[in-house]
């Protein structure tokens, strides 16, 4: 029973407090809520009131006298309004109910009317529905709250003020069960899906400026781990879905854009602004339709499609600044000098050149990191348009991205266009086509390697050299300066003088014909293609700067062309008999991929203006060409009984040219069932649970991503010379294996999807168990085999097991809309078996050798994660008094590093190595909180990852106390007899100490756990009434910040850096292009 | 679609079927020489000897800190086996060739492959001792997993191959495909065999081969012409690594890695040892300095070493120009880092010195042929001839020969092998090690099973024990 203002008693004691404080106090003590519009009431007005156990009516009357506000009770709300001159005023400011006749229209975000939307008055059963034009009319009171809802759209609350007409815009609801999910060769209602699929919506993809779609995907979908693996401004990311199953083959998921499965990995050439959804197929049931390429999951990208209606344009622009958010902490020149002295003394060398601190050399302290980086401008312009008639719709865009690099002399410019058209030729026949093109031009820096290139060159080189001479020209140390050895390049020379361009041009598109043969049967033909042309140009100029001389210029021009075409023919049959729904798909597909590349290097020019190939005198060229193909047939059956019991079965047969004749074909079946418990009688009327579905699947998928012609013993060019004439040479490159076949993955999945409270809370959980077997493993072969490539065999298995959770909840709290999206995934990766050698011992595959020490940091062994970290365990520093054990152990002396003698034999040997870490995160995920308040919306997105380690090679090189490279500041705490309680070994330059400090050990292995404020976006939509009757329909501004804060103990630039694509060398940080903090302002106008 | 023709890819089995193609496979057998003699061989021989040292590289054989995971060890092992595998492929598949233009062509191909296989095994046995003996093509992975043979067995295989090569190969080549100058001749095979016999102290064997070879070669009047590309494949040498072309793959960067104007990173990896440095380099920079080993007036000195003309960064109190570098291969005529100069592997001068050494070991003869041979070299170098007055006994003559070899063959990857076969490596290097308070790792010496001399062995690459369980024992001391 609702109480009136007279029935509620309250005590209030306020002196000179604002009206809004008064409202909050009353709201906290009663069930009433105040409703008002900011424009009509000044909330900062001060009031004073002292009331003890008085009725609320009396309290409000007192307040009304002190302000220009009056109050009306509307159900449980108290509506606040300004007292108007012509208004009936009862002298006490608390008005009686007044009825108003309200008319309105309900439209979607594109302005199209929504018929059938329901409009209810909150707290009553009074309501109506919108008509075919979206219009409605309703008698209500001022201050009432209207709830407008329509299936597939987010409900809206509107407070009735004194207006009599309303335009209500409904926003599409992302978490609705009626959402359509793109699966392979078709779409399905989310409610009907029996497999495990994550979807990322347009609003999430477009929530911040991103480099490419992988970037937008990061942290957004459970089970999907995205991380940077090096690269340049175009970003090189790796996507791992449900862990990594293949040891030496590819772990990249299959990417399908508008029905075209891609081969190329130049994903930065797909404009992320064009993407309307990304659907990630994860379990075998969902992926098996892609058979031989589905073992690593499938990402389906859909670009924007047109809608009938008025042609609408949308122009958006964002402009922002990027800066490197982390840098290395290095020694000062004086600290470095002291390091030289100590190191040379310890290595029995003359220190005389370093002894005099007043020598001019030591007066220079250059901050290369400062000079080599900058705050970079990023601009993005995008013009989109869409529209059409009942029969034909179109959508398109043109866009330009101009991004400066945070490292000097690097930048990226991209141009994009897209045009998607659908036409219904007649009732039975329709055609759709998608076409996108892009051109990307990039100036790159050589990053991501051990030594002094790219960002690493700014750490590597000593601070005691000057960058510029007195005329501002680049300078370098000359032969007279001492000491002139060591890493004393001017790194700016290599960053600034050479030209390193990398261009990619891409055309990607398809045409699809749908023909309705019968009402239940549709035949579709899809023809698609993807053409990528990559071209580079590197010019290393002639210069003489001090000792640094390049007497001849060098031009390198690489060219690469990738052509990928696909043609599919599918038949879709759909039939309902009583409670049985059947959907059937049969299809055939052929796909071919052709790749050719060539590189020409010319050398010899002595004039920097003559910087083209034709100006050179000596040339070196290489090139190759390869093609591979896939011929497939597939079948899928979806069955649903009363929307309650659902089943899907899929089978695909693939023939691949990657394998020898005997092993060419593979069959990949899968099946899944689901039970929508919520459709059962006992739950159907539940007010709590709207939808509850349990599902499980099992199936087999394949991975064929190995090199081509691995089944042949191939010849590799090994030229030789007689006199000065080259002769052709050919030598075996590998040991061919005619029995090679697919890798296959068996995956079990069990999941539950629940939706509570009218879809306000949506929760999904999955358990999976994924065994990859017959792994295509390049087994290490004895060097006595004399071939450069390890033979590839089908061997062994890897298990990935994990749990994925995602939770979306929408909490509408008063006027502030708040929603939370959270996902977290746990994955355990374990090598079950990678085969045995000839006498039955388990094989072990080491990772790539870390330079200088020439030791691997990773080792893949059965029972441990793929590429697990395996190395010596650092155990501090040998101390005075331990001379004799140290000498016996490894000829060490006090101050030398000590590694644990794990096998207890008293000496330092390989038996002391052990497993010390895991490069794969045990858990990762993201949490996004969005708030809507009036026309503002705020999104705060964190992503996180934990339970993994990173090998910091920068410390392995610059943290050794070997002074010939610049050292990190942490080395200042080096051991001396006077400073014994430290874990930093004594400095050295050569000899046993240097040898020992260079060892790959867990001294340089760090926890990578991080939580990062990945994105904050504040958006303001200008109120729509401003534009009524104008050309402009909407205008919004956003301020976004990306990578704002990172909480991590990792001491490198980025704990996600994993420089090598090969898993066998996972988690090694060679300092890829540093991720940047971006703050940008964007505007979007729709007209 | 499923049967794409492999473009630019050919299976080896197809290549072995015609003469012109198997010649390309034979050329591939030579190819590992290119990378071996750029740096890795020099690293394991010159750095480890008393002639070379390095200032910047920390984990080098200079200090005899070489563990089984060392990069040069692994690379030298792998490159030599690459050559062996390729030679095996050629020899095994000769019978598949259906179109030999002449019987001689088949013999010539087999002879070269056998010569090269022996050459590669000779490198391996001197570095590592007994190694797996593989003499047929690798078809499956396990074919490569063989146990170590003994040192004697390896030498048996080497002698077998060289004796056949002597029979199969011509005395010279007339040019044309498969007959280019620079391929080993029967004389080359004899020369290599004489080096093998010298290593094994089969003195009379050396003498008899040397007698056959004597007069088949010449000494160049200008010593530097042996190395500077002007007299490639002349009578002054029996076998050379052929560098040429314009790309890194077929040229050598020795000029850059040894010489000063290209010295911007201080990465010269071999500097000549110099007593004048007083042990200040940290490496084995002095003791037995080769800079001091030259006699006055030796015409070879300027070709072998030259000074930087720069300030002395080791010891600033020394005058400018007091630091030396290896000048033999310093090439300013080719583009930087792309030197086309051949690297001699067996020179006529070495055969003369082998001859003299073997004669002296058999019997010291005060006015014999040995003096004549030694003096041929000395006079050509502008030095006074040695006489029996100065070298009055076997041991003095031996010392003179050793000294002459050191200079004549300096930085040609010979010195380490010489010191080792003479059994004096440890003693010679210890003199240098004394300067930095180190001890030569004598636990790494074995008694050579054929000569009985103290013999230093490098470790087999650690990775081989992982990938080949049949391999057997690591060398002592590792």
């Amino acid at each position: 029973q609702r109480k009136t203002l007279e029935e509620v008693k309250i005590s209030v004691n306020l002196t000179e407090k604002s009206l809004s404080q008064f409202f909050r106090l009353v709201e906290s003590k009663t069930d009433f809520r105040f409703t008002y519009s900011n424009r009509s009431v000044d909330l900062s007005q001060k009031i004073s009131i002292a009331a003890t156990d008085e009725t609320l009516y009396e309290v409000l009357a007192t307040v009304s006298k002190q302000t220009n506000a009056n109050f009306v009770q509307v159900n449980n709300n108290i509506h606040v309004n300004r007292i108007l001159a012509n208004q009936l005023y009862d002298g006490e400011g608390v008005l009686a109910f007044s009825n108003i006749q309200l008319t309105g229209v309900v439209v979607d975000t594109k302005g199209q009317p929504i018929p059938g939307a329901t409009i209810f008055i909150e707290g009553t059963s009074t309501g109506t529905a919108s008509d075919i034009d979206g219009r409605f009319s309703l008698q209500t009171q001022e201050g009432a709250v209207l709830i407008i809802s329509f299936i597939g759209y987010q409900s809206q609350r509107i407070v009735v003020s004194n207006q009599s007409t309303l335009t209500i815009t409904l926003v599409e609801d992302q978490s609705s069960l009626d959402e359509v999910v793109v699966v392979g060769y078709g779409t399905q209602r989310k409610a009907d899906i029996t497999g495990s699929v994550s979807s990322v919506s347009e609003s999430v993809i477009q929530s911040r400026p991103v480099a490419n779609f992988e970037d937008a995907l990061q942290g957004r979908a459970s089970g999907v781990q995205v991380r940077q693996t090096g690269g340049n401004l175009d970003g090189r990311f790796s996507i791992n879905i449900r862990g990594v199953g293949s040891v030496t083959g590819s772990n990249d998921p299959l990417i399908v854009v508008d029905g075209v499965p891609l081969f190329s990995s130049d994903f930065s050439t797909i404009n992320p602004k064009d993407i309307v959804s990304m659907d990630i197929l994860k379990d075998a049931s969902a992926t098996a339709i892609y058979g031989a390429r589905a073992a690593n999951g499938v990402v389906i990208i859909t670009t924007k499609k047109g809608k009938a209606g008025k042609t609408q344009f949308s122009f958006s622009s964002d402009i922002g600044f990027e800066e490197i958010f982390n840098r290395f902490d290095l020694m000062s020149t004086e600290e470095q000098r002291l390091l030289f002295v100590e190191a040379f003394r310890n290595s029995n060398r003359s220190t005389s050149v370093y002894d005099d601190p007043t020598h001019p050399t030591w007066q220079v302290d250059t901050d290369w990191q400062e000079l080599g980086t900058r705050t970079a401008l990023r601009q993005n312009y995008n013009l989109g348009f869409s529209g059409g008639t009942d029969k034909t719709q179109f959508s398109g865009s043109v866009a330009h991205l101009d991004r400066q690099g945070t490292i000097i002399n690097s930048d990226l410019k991209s141009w994009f266009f897209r045009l998607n058209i659908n036409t219904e030729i007649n009732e039975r026949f329709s055609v759709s086509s998608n076409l996108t093109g892009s051109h990307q031009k990039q100036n790159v820096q050589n990053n991501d390697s051990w030594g002094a290139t790219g960002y690493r060159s700014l750490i590597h080189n000593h601070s005691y050299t000057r960058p510029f001479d007195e005329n501002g020209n680049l300078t370098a140390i000359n032969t007279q300066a001492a000491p002139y050895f060591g890493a004393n390049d001017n790194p700016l020379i290599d960053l600034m003088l050479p030209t390193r361009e990398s261009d990619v041009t891409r055309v990607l598109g398809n045409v699809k014909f749908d023909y309705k043969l019968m009402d239940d049967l549709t035949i579709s033909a899809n023809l698609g293609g993807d053409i990528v042309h990559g071209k580079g140009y590197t010019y290393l100029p002639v210069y003489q700067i001090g000792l640094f001389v390049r007497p001849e210029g060098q031009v390198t021009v690489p060219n690469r062309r990738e052509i990928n075409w696909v043609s599919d023919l599918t038949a879709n049959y759909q039939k309902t008999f009583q409670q049985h729904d059947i959907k059937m798909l049969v299809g055939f597909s052929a796909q071919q991929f052709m790749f050719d590349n060539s590189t020409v290097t010319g050398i010899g020019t002595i004039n920097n203006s003559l910087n083209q190939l034709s100006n050179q005198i000596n040339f070196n060229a290489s090139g190759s060409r390869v093609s591979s193909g896939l011929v497939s047939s597939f079948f899928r059956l979806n069955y649903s009984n009363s929307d309650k019991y659902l089943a899907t079965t899929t089978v695909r047969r693939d023939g691949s040219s990657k394998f020898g004749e005997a092993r060419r074909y593979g069959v990949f079946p899968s099946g899944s069932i689901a039970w929508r418990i919520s459709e059962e009688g006992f739950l159907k009327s539940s007010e709590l649970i709207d939808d509850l579905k349990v599902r499980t699947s099992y199936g087999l998928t394949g991975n064929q991503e190995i090199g081509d012609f691995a089944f042949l013993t191939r010849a590799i060019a090994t030229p030789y010379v007689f006199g000065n004439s080259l002769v052709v040479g050919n030598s075996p490159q590998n040991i061919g294996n005619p029995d090679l076949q697919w890798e296959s993955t068996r995956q079990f999945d069990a999941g539950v999807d629940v939706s509570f409270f009218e879809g306000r809370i949506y929760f999904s959980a999955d358990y999976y168990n994924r065994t990859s077997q017959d792994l295509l493993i390049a087994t290490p072969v004895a060097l006595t085999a004399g071939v450069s490539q390890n033979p590839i065999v089908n061997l062994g298995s890897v298990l990935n097991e994990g749990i994925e959770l995602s939770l979306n909840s929408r909490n509408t709290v008063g006027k502030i809309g708040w929603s939370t999206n959270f996902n977290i995934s746990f994955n355990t990766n374990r090598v079950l078996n990678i085969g045995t050698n000839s006498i039955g011992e388990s094989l072990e595959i080491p990772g790539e050798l870390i330079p200088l020490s020439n030791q691997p940091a990773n080792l893949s062994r059965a029972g441990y994660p793929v590429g697990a970290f395996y190395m010596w365990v650092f155990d501090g520093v040998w101390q005075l008094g331990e001379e004799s054990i140290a000498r016996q152990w490894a000829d060490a002396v006090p101050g030398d590093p000590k590694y644990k003698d794990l096998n207890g034999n008293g000496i330092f040997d390989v038996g002391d190595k052990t497993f010390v870490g895991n490069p794969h995160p045990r858990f990762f995920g993201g949490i996004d909180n969005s708030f809507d308040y009036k026309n503002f919306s705020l999104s705060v997105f964190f992503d996180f990852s934990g339970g993994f380690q990173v090998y910091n090679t920068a410390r392995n090189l610059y943290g050794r106390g070997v002074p010939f490279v610049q050292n990190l500041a942490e080395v200042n705490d080096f051991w001396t007899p006077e400073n014994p309680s430290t874990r930093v070994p004594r400095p050295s330059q050569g000899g046993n100490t240097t040898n020992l400090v260079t060892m790959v050990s867990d001294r340089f292995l760090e926890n990578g756990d991080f939580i990062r404020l990945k994105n904050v976006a504040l958006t303001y939509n200008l109120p729509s009434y401003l534009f009524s009757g104008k050309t402009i329909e909407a205008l919004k501004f956003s301020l976004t910040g990306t990578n704002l804060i990172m909480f991590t103990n990792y001491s490198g630039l980025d704990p996600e850096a994993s420089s090598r694509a090969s898993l066998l060398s996972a988690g090694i940080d060679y300092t890829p292009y540093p991720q940047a903090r971006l703050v940008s302002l964007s505007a979007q106008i729709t007209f | 679609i499923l049967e794409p023709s492999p473009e630019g890819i050919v299976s080896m089995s197809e290549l072995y079927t015609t003469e012109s193609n198997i010649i390309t496979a034979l050329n591939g057998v030579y190819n590992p020489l290119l990378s071996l003699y750029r740096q890795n061989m020099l690293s394991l021989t010159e750095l480890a000897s008393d002639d070379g040292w390095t200032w910047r590289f920390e984990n080098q054989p200079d200090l005899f800190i070489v563990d089984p995971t060392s990069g040069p060890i692994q690379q030298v092992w792998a490159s030599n086996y690459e050559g062996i595998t390729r030679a095996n492929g050629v020899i095994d598949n000769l019978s598949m060739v259906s179109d030999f233009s002449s019987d001689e062509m088949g013999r010539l191909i087999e002879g070269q492959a056998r010569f090269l296989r022996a050459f590669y095994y000779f490198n391996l046995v001197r570095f590592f001792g007994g190694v797996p003996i593989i003499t047929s093509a690798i078809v499956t992975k396990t074919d490569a997993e063989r146990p170590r043979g003994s040192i004697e067995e390896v030498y048996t295989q080497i002698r077998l191959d060289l004796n056949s090569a002597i029979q199969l190969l011509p005395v010279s080549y007339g040019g044309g495909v498969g007959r280019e100058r620079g391929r080993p001749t029967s004389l080359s095979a004899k020369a290599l065999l004489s080096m093998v016999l010298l290593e094994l102290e089969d003195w009379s064997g050396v003498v008899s081969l040397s007698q056959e070879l004597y007069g088949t070669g010449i000494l160049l009047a200008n010593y530097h012409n042996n190395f500077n590309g002007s007299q490639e494949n002349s009578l002054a040498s029996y076998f050379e690594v052929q560098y040429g072309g314009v790309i890194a793959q077929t040229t050598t960067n020795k000029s850059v890695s040894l010489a000063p104007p290209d010295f911007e990173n201080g990465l010269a990896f071999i500097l000549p040892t110099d007593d004048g440095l007083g042990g200040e380099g940290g490496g084995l920079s002095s003791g037995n300095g080769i800079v001091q080993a030259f006699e006055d007036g030796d015409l070879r000195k300027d070709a072998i070493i030259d000074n930087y003309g720069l300030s002395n960064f080791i010891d600033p109190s020394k005058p400018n120009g007091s630091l030396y570098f290896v000048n033999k291969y310093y090439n300013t005529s080719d583009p930087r880092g792309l030197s086309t100069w051949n690297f001699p592997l067996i020179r006529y001068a070495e055969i003369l010195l082998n001859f003299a050494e073997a004669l002296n070991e058999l019997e010291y003869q005060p006015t014999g042929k040995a003096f004549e041979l030694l003096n041929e070299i000395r006079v050509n170098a502008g030095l006074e001839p040695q006489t029996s007055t100065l070298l009055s006994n076997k041991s003095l003559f031996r010392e003179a020969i050793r000294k002459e070899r050191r200079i004549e063959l300096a930085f040609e990857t010979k010195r380490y092998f010489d010191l080792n076969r003479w059994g004096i490596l440890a003693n010679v290097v210890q003199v240098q090690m004394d300067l930095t308070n180190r001890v030569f790792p004598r636990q790494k010496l074995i008694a050579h099973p054929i000569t009985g001399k103290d013999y230093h062995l490098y470790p087999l690459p650690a990775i081989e024990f992982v990938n080949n369980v049949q391999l057997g024992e690591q060398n002592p001391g590792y």
Side-chain angles (χ1 to χ4, degrees), chain A residues 476 489-490 493-494 497-498 539-553 606 608, chain B residues 264 336:
Chain A
D489 282 19
N490 178 344
I493 294 175
D494 189 61
L497 296 186
Y539 179 65
L540 306 180
V542 179
Y543 59 78
Q544 169 145 25
I545 299 171
L547 189 61
F548 303 93
V549 184
R550 186 188 300 282
E552 295 175 306
I606 52 164
N608 285 334
Chain B
E264 53 197 35
R336 174 196 282 212

Side-chain angles (χ1 to χ4, degrees), chain A residues 996-1028:
Chain A
L996 287 172
V997 290
T998 310
M999 298 289 169
V1000 170
S1001 79
D1002 71 346
R1003 185 178 165 214
F1004 308 118
L1005 187 70
E1006 302 180 33
N1007 275 328
D1009 304 6
F1010 70 88
I1011 175 160
R1012 169 173 53 196
L1013 179 51
K1014 183 78 187 171
N1015 189 49
V1016 176
L1018 177 66
T1019 304
Y1020 176 65
N1021 279 290
L1022 265 66
S1024 52
Y1025 66 81
L1026 289 177
F1027 308 120
S1028 61

Side-chain angles (χ1 to χ4, degrees), chain A residues 727-743:
Chain A
V727 293
V728 178
N730 281 303
S731 303
Q733 182 180 22
N734 62 329
I735 302 172
N737 176 5
D739 291 328
L740 266 195
Q741 58 165 349
W742 324 88
E743 279 188 8

Side-chain angles (χ1 to χ4, degrees), chain A residues 869-927:
Chain A
F869 289 115
Y870 182 79
M871 52 188 71
W872 284 295
V873 178
F874 179 63
D875 194 25
V877 177
W878 289 104
Q879 297 295 343
L880 293 173
E882 298 178 322
E883 286 83 351
S884 58
I885 335 167
R887 185 170 188 95
Q888 159 84 23
W889 173 76
D891 217 6
V893 298
D896 282 358
K898 180 159 75 172
Y899 302 104
K900 281 192 179 151
D901 183 18
L902 293 177
N903 62 5
N905 63 357
I907 58 161
F908 175 53
D909 58 15
V910 291
D912 297 330
K913 288 190 182 183
T914 189
F915 285 97
V916 291
N918 181 357
H920 315 291
R922 294 202 196 285
F923 64 89
F924 57 88
I927 180 164

Side-chain angles (χ1 to χ4, degrees), chain A residues 1032-1045:
Chain A
I1032 295 175
E1033 289 182 9
L1035 178 57
K1036 77 174 180 187
F1037 293 98
S1038 314
L1039 183 63
T1040 58
T1042 299
N1043 293 332
L1044 289 180
I1045 311 172

